[in-house]
Amino acid sequence: MCAPDRLLERRDTLELLAAEAARARTGSGRLIVLRGATGTGRTALLEAAAQQAAAQGMRVLRARCSPEHTAIPLDTVYQLLAHAPEFDAVAGEAPDPPGTPPHRGRSARLWRLLRSYADETPLLIAVDDAHLADAASRRWLVEAVRWIDRLPVLLVVTERSQYDIDPPADGLAHALSSALVHTRTLAPLSPDSAAELIRSVRAGDTAPEWVADCVRAGAGNPLLLSALLDDLQSTDQDTLPDTCAALYPGAYAAAVSWWLDSAGPATTEVARALAALDEDGPGTADADLLARTAGADPGRVPGWLTAMTRLGLLRPDPEGRPRYAHPLLRDAVLGGWTSAARQRAHRRAAEAMLRRGDHAEAVAGQLLRAGPVGDTWATAALLDAADLAARDDRSDDALAYLRRALDEPIPPARRAAVLTELGSLEYATVRSTAGIPRLAEAMRLPGPPRDRVRAAVALGTALARRGEARAAIDVLRGLRDEHLTGHPDLARTAQTASALLSDHDQGVRQEVYRWLRDTAERSPDLVGTAGQALLVRYESTAGLTSAESAMDRVRALLAQPADPLEEAFLPGTAAAVAQWADQLDEAERLVRRGLAGQRTSLLHPMHTALLNVRIDLAAARGAYDEVLADPEVRRPDGTPPTSANAVANAVVALVETGRTEEAARLADGFDLQNAPDSWELNRFLYARGVLHTALGDPAAALDDFLECGRRQSARDVVSPVVTPWRTAAAECQLALGRPREALALAEEDLCLARVWNTPRVLGRALRTLATATGGRRGLHLADRAVRILHQDAHTPPRTEAEPHGGTRGEALYATAGEPTRGPSARVPTDIAAYREGADRGTPGAAETELIAALTAQGRLLTAAGERARARDALREAAARAERLGAVRARAAAEEALREGGARRTTTALTGPDALTAGERRIAELAAQSRTNTEIAELLHLARRTVETHLTSTYRKLGIRRRAELGAALTPPGGGDR
């Protein structure tokens, strides 16, 4: 950067030097001091001044000071005068004794030698880096300045002027009169000049982003910028790299190293400490922490940060804290530091942050980059940080802290707990095999019985999810038999976990539940509240109890005090029973309670159970958008769902919303061959059967439904409350022309529905039997199905016609019993009235079954010649399906309408006209920036009702955000219509 045409923004200084040189030629000399930070172009400017002076006939004497020669007396003066013939005689003299005045001895003779030069021709004395001159030379130069104002001599020196951590020595002009000295301080290049220089070198590649990056990395420093451009000439990269390793031949890194060497060791230490802390992200470093980390004077560090910011090397982050102007600059500063030195700096930073009370994760962040500390304070900080990260569901951060904690001293008992949590997280977030060795090691270490139970439950959960249910049971059984003989409460917890994990293997399940039932009959205390809740769940699926009885029992169990470890099993078990019993709101409360009590960083079988119930609840309501948005379906990392139950629910939701191609891709991507032999696999088979039905392949669908049923029955799961495979298989049999087989399946399903006795299962069974029976008898059964399901929906049933003549189906139904949910009431049959009434709440468990029952009723009414009633039923079915977004169900209702000779329903599927009155009211309030809670209070609705209506509104309007409501509600052209 020495060519004059590259001396950007230095014209005024060059003009000053030319004027002073002209003045000196008239016999009136002066001292010019060019000051500036390292790399600002002092040397280049001095050389330009020397060239100007030589061109004007002045003799130029040069000297360049260096730290290596500071101990040699008069070294700088010798450089200036070494070419004179008389110099050898003077140089050969003995050094002046200490205390010799500058006007005597060798110094005086050197001054006389200089004057003899000036008598011959005007002189320009150019001394570069005068701050590095030896003491004797500095004294000589200062004394010379006092005399050259009467000589044709111009003395131009450069000095480094930069705020460093160690205060600098006094400058050359410190003891001189201002009349003898003219000082000029060189500023960094402006961004515009730096950009101009870059474009002059890389004229063919001047993308604004690239130029801006170069300006930041060069920091307005000509030395750094020129070195960077030299490196970039050998590459055609479109973007500026963040590391010096990507630059060749390395001029930029060498220039930064020179800048650090010039600043001194204290400044270098602070600069590198800042670079190390800057790696941790914005807002990490401040002046206090930087001083503590580098061991620097805390009174000097703030000034240094301010000075470096003014020079352009640092830039404040949004919080005002200093950061390097570009990652490449930070990397170059770190380049000369060894890994061990960096680790020591991070350790010092961690200790400093701990002493001043910083957040645990801030301390742990430094420890992640430090080597092992070997002290308990580091262990505590890392474990506290891991706990906070796990609570915030930041698994990657928690993993990093826990792994690092293992490098610090941990008592064996505490180490087992850490390994349990670490193994759980690795299993859940890395891969299924990653965490098992950690969990197995935790099991081998000594520790409190409770921690051993947690480790065993976590290991058992991991093994069971991999399809090794028997190995999981063996782990828990071995722990119970060997280590929990004196802890009956913990033994019960291990047994409960075994029962829950046995769901992953039908053979193990029968064995475990046989023991559980036998023990409960003899000694209920040995089973505990959680075990008894699991027995209620078992009896519910085995067709051995009613919904009412099951709910009474689980509510009584929930009211009993329970050990914290056992308590973890209760909410999820009770939520599953409540969902089957159509108590959806209660089930949701239990799921929230259960998830709030779960520590996500510990593997536990109930956590997965709660997630399954959560998605099952959305499916039971027909909230298909909610199903597809569930985190178990739409995973944050974009990968397909791994839970078979999540896949099953997603496939059904896609089918019901008319996206069969997506459903097929999802189902085809599921690895059925390697899936664990659990109940979730049966759910998938059922969902694939639904898909095959939608694709018009009843034979393939029937195979899936029957296989699902075979597997369910082998697990003692015969109730239709879990998977209604019989009704689905009966419909396939009808489609294949096998009414007798269909009728048998439907009758069996109704018999089992009688036991559970909820509107959803009874209505579904009656609807299927009605379709299989047909005729007037089938119509009577369909009427009863609609009546039952209406009682559980949010609108009362339509007025029913008198029952048709007695039938075999009616007799069968009469033994089933009709659940009583309040008196029936007459409601309007027109669609607008229904749509208004439907705004009273969210869909219940019976809503999707009511749509199917109305469609079946409509078809049977059409066949019976009652076309008016048929149209009412089918239009209601279409309206309800539209509200749910159930495209498939609406299509079926509309097809039945067309087959009955009715015109296509005029209700809109999308757009503002598709909104019900309630949806529009809620949407308008939401568009006014009302919160869901405020809307619920204004309209006297449940908050969930508001959320459900907004979800439906977004779907109909084709929007995703609340902010889009205002525009979407306004019809094209603006204004009301």
Side-chain angles (χ1 to χ4, degrees):
M1 184 79 185
C2 59
D5 60 348
R6 282 191 163 186
L7 292 172
L8 299 172
E9 299 183 349
R10 303 291 186 255
R11 182 177 299 277
D12 58 341
T13 304
L14 283 171
E15 291 174 352
L16 169 67
L17 290 167
E20 292 295 335
R23 185 171 180 269
R25 288 195 297 273
T26 65
S28 181
R30 190 183 299 210
L31 168 64
I32 304 294
V33 180
L34 302 177
R35 308 180 75 220
T38 301
T40 50
R42 301 187 314 268
T43 301
L45 194 55
L46 183 64
E47 180 62 27
Q51 292 178 9
Q52 284 184 348
Q56 296 298 322
M58 298 179 73
R59 182 176 181 180
V60 179
L61 303 179
R62 291 182 172 88
R64 178 165 294 169
C65 307
S66 65
E68 292 82 6
H69 295 162
T70 55
I72 302 175
L74 295 173
D75 175 76
T76 301
V77 181
Y78 289 165
Q79 290 187 55
L80 293 172
L81 305 175
H83 299 290
E86 303 89 341
F87 174 75
D88 291 339
V90 179
E93 296 178 4
D96 294 333
T100 302
H103 59 279
R104 296 180 181 178
R106 185 166 55 170
S107 296
R109 285 188 286 278
L110 289 171
W111 166 247
R112 289 194 294 273
L113 182 59
L114 177 66
R115 286 197 60 178
S116 68
Y117 289 172
D119 291 340
E120 296 175 4
T121 183
L123 299 177
L124 175 76
I125 301 175
V127 180
D128 198 14
D129 290 337
H131 56 285
L132 298 176
D134 62 276
S137 293
R138 288 172 63 83
R139 289 194 301 271
W140 189 90
L141 290 170
V142 169
E143 188 65 24
V145 172
R146 294 193 175 103
W147 296 95
I148 61 174
D149 62 330
R150 294 185 294 274
L151 295 175
V153 177
L154 177 64
L155 175 58
V156 183
V157 303
T158 67
E159 284 185 337
R160 184 177 181 275
S161 174
Q162 184 171 304
Y163 193 105
D164 292 319
I165 300 301
D166 288 333
D170 293 335
L172 193 65
H174 176 71
L176 294 171
S177 168
S178 59
L180 301 175
V181 182
H182 197 119
T183 301
R184 180 60 60 92
T185 301
L186 307 181
L189 295 179
S190 68
D192 289 342
S193 293
E196 178 185 341
L197 177 59
I198 294 166
R199 292 189 184 97
S200 70
V201 175
R202 290 286 292 264
D205 187 359
T206 55
E209 297 81 6
W210 187 87
V211 172
D213 272 351
C214 290
V215 169
R216 288 171 54 210
N221 187 298
L223 171 69
L224 301 185
L225 194 53
S226 296
L228 176 62
L229 293 172
D230 287 344
D231 284 345
L232 292 175
Q233 284 181 340
S234 62
T235 179
D236 58 355
Q237 296 182 51
D238 295 331
T239 58
L240 193 64
D242 288 346
T243 64
C244 293
L247 292 178
Y248 182 83
Y252 180 77
V256 173
S257 179
W258 169 256
W259 173 75
L260 290 172
D261 289 343
S262 300
T267 298
T268 299
E269 192 75 9
V270 172
R272 285 175 172 161
L274 175 60
L277 295 175
D278 197 14
E279 287 184 303
D280 300 327
T284 301
D286 55 46
D288 174 68
L289 179 61
L290 198 54
R292 291 170 183 252
T293 301
D297 181 355
R300 298 283 299 176
V301 172
W304 183 82
L305 293 173
T306 300
M308 294 304 100
T309 302
R310 293 289 299 274
L311 289 174
L313 294 161
L314 304 181
R315 288 191 175 193
D317 66 14
E319 296 180 1
R321 298 189 180 187
R323 302 194 73 193
Y324 279 95
H326 193 277
L328 184 64
L329 179 57
R330 182 195 65 217
D331 184 71
V333 171
L334 278 176
W337 234 11
T338 64
S339 175
R342 291 192 202 186
Q343 290 182 354
R344 286 193 297 271
H346 284 294
R347 172 177 174 166
R348 290 194 298 268
E351 290 179 292
M353 296 169 84
L354 183 69
R355 282 197 297 270
R356 71 182 193 178
D358 281 10
H359 194 272
E361 287 201 72
V363 177
Q366 298 301 322
L367 291 172
L368 290 179
R369 299 178 182 276
V373 173
D375 203 337
T376 54
W377 69 263
T379 309
L382 289 162
L383 294 181
D384 286 347
D387 183 67
L388 292 169
R391 291 179 187 278
D392 291 342
D393 289 330
R394 291 181 285 109
S395 299
D396 289 345
D397 291 339
L399 277 172
Y401 298 140
L402 289 171
R403 287 168 176 162
R404 176 64 181 80
L406 293 178
D407 296 333
E408 301 297 343
I410 308 177
R414 185 75 179 97
R415 189 177 186 86
V418 172
L419 286 168
T420 299
E421 189 164 2
L422 177 56
S424 296
L425 283 171
E426 286 181 336
Y427 177 91
T429 61
V430 181
R431 61 182 185 279
S432 61
T433 57
I436 290 180
R438 306 269 197 194
L439 296 171
E441 183 182 353
M443 285 289 298
R444 292 192 295 268
L445 292 175
R450 284 182 174 274
D451 286 348
R452 295 182 70 88
V453 170
R454 289 190 180 95
V457 169
L459 179 57
T461 303
L463 292 171
R465 288 186 190 176
R466 293 183 59 202
E468 301 175 37
R470 189 166 293 280
I473 304 302
D474 290 342
V475 167
L476 288 160
R477 184 176 295 155
L479 176 68
R480 185 190 63 196
D481 295 342
E482 296 177 20
H483 302 283
L484 302 179
T485 52
H487 304 275
D489 53 340
L490 298 180
R492 284 196 301 269
T493 298
Q495 185 58 51
T496 302
S498 297
L500 198 56
L501 292 174
S502 70
D503 285 340
H504 293 274
D505 185 286
Q506 67 182 36
V508 176
R509 184 177 190 270
Q510 290 177 331
E511 175 187 332
V512 170
Y513 274 95
R514 187 182 304 115
W515 179 93
L516 202 61
R517 295 179 70 189
D518 293 344
T519 304
E521 290 179 3
R522 297 192 310 270
S523 305
D525 290 344
L526 294 179
V527 175
T529 53
Q532 292 178 51
L534 285 175
L535 282 175
V536 175
R537 193 190 69 158
Y538 171 84
E539 292 172 9
S540 299
T541 60
L544 301 176
T545 187
S546 68
E548 183 178 3
S549 174
M551 285 306 300
D552 288 344
R553 291 165 64 189
V554 295
R555 285 169 180 151
L557 291 170
L558 286 167
Q560 296 180 19
D563 180 87
L565 283 179
E566 192 175 23
E567 163 69 21
F569 292 91
L570 283 170
T573 306
V577 175
Q579 185 247 315
W580 297 333
D582 298 346
Q583 303 299 310
L584 303 191
D585 290 342
E586 185 172 356
E588 284 185 343
R589 288 193 296 271
L590 288 165
V591 168
R592 287 195 295 270
R593 168 182 159 183
L595 289 175
Q598 288 283 324
R599 185 179 176 88
T600 56
S601 57
L602 287 176
L603 277 177
H604 196 284
M606 189 47 68
H607 182 70
T608 302
L610 287 162
L611 297 180
N612 282 323
V613 175
R614 183 181 67 187
I615 195 171
D616 289 348
L617 280 167
R621 292 188 186 278
Y624 303 120
D625 289 343
E626 192 175 328
V627 170
L628 296 174
D630 191 276
E632 293 300 297
V633 175
R634 185 175 293 174
R635 294 162 64 83
D637 57 3
T639 58
T642 55
S643 162
N645 185 56
V647 172
N649 277 300
V651 167
V652 172
L654 289 169
V655 168
E656 296 301 336
T657 52
R659 294 183 277 176
T660 52
E661 290 185 2
E662 289 182 58
R665 286 196 296 271
L666 182 58
D668 290 343
F670 181 72
D671 188 0
L672 186 61
Q673 298 298 322
N674 296 317
D677 183 20
S678 73
W679 64 270
E680 293 189 51
L681 184 57
N682 305 341
R683 286 280 184 89
F684 174 78
L685 290 170
Y686 173 81
R688 194 173 67 174
V690 172
L691 173 62
H692 284 145
T693 300
L695 294 173
D697 190 352
L702 180 62
D703 289 342
D704 279 336
F705 292 139
L706 293 178
E707 177 60 15
C708 172
R710 184 192 67 77
R711 294 172 58 86
Q712 291 283 66
S713 299
R715 297 167 54 84
D716 296 334
V717 178
V718 297
S719 174
V721 69
V722 181
T723 350
W725 64 270
R726 292 181 186 82
T727 57
E731 291 171 350
C732 291
Q733 296 284 24
L734 287 173
L736 294 169
R738 304 169 187 167
R740 182 174 299 177
E741 290 86 345
L743 190 61
L745 286 167
E747 288 174 346
E748 182 183 2
D749 198 62
L750 182 56
C751 288
L752 292 166
R754 292 173 53 199
V755 178
W756 190 243
N757 199 34
T758 60
R760 180 163 56 100
V761 295
L762 277 172
R764 180 173 57 218
L766 284 168
R767 182 256 302 171
T768 307
L769 183 59
T771 303
T773 303
R776 305 299 293 183
R777 294 176 299 175
L779 180 55
H780 171 72
L781 293 170
D783 289 344
R784 292 298 183 91
V786 169
R787 183 188 297 261
I788 290 171
L789 292 166
H790 258 135
Q791 289 175 351
D792 197 56
H794 292 290
T795 52
R798 295 176 291 104
T799 301
E800 297 289 348
E802 290 299 317
H804 302 281
T807 65
R808 173 171 176 264
E810 181 182 0
L812 180 62
Y813 173 72
T815 62
E818 186 171 338
T820 57
R821 296 290 180 96
S824 300
R826 182 182 180 87
V827 297
T829 57
D830 60 283
I831 299 305
Y834 158 69
R835 286 160 62 87
E836 180 68 22
D839 293 326
R840 299 176 189 171
T842 57
E847 185 74 8
T848 55
E849 293 301 338
L850 177 56
I851 295 169
L854 285 166
T855 304
Q857 182 192 41
R859 289 184 180 277
L860 289 167
L861 285 168
T862 299
E866 298 185 39
R867 295 183 180 274
R869 283 188 64 207
R871 285 194 295 272
D872 288 343
L874 293 170
R875 283 173 179 160
E876 182 182 346
R880 287 182 180 274
E882 178 193 346
R883 178 168 174 261
L884 286 182
V887 175
R888 181 180 177 225
R890 175 176 172 127
E894 291 187 337
E895 181 184 0
L897 275 168
R898 288 193 297 273
E899 290 173 355
R903 291 180 298 174
R904 180 184 178 89
T905 178
T906 58
T907 55
L909 281 170
T910 59
D913 292 339
L915 301 181
T916 66
E919 287 171 343
R920 178 170 284 278
R921 282 198 304 271
I922 291 172
E924 288 171 347
L925 289 171
Q928 297 169 14
S929 300
R930 302 271 192 174
T931 67
N932 291 356
T933 301
E934 291 172 340
I935 296 171
E937 291 174 352
L938 284 170
L939 300 181
H940 304 289
L941 298 172
R943 175 172 173 155
R944 179 170 177 80
T945 301
V946 175
E947 294 170 349
T948 300
H949 281 317
L950 283 175
T951 299
S952 176
T953 298
Y954 291 167
R955 177 184 56 77
K956 291 178 180 180
L957 297 180
I959 62 176
R960 293 181 178 273
R961 294 185 297 275
R962 204 183 193 94
E964 301 175 69
L965 274 172
L969 289 171
T970 304
D976 298 329
R977 292 188 297 179

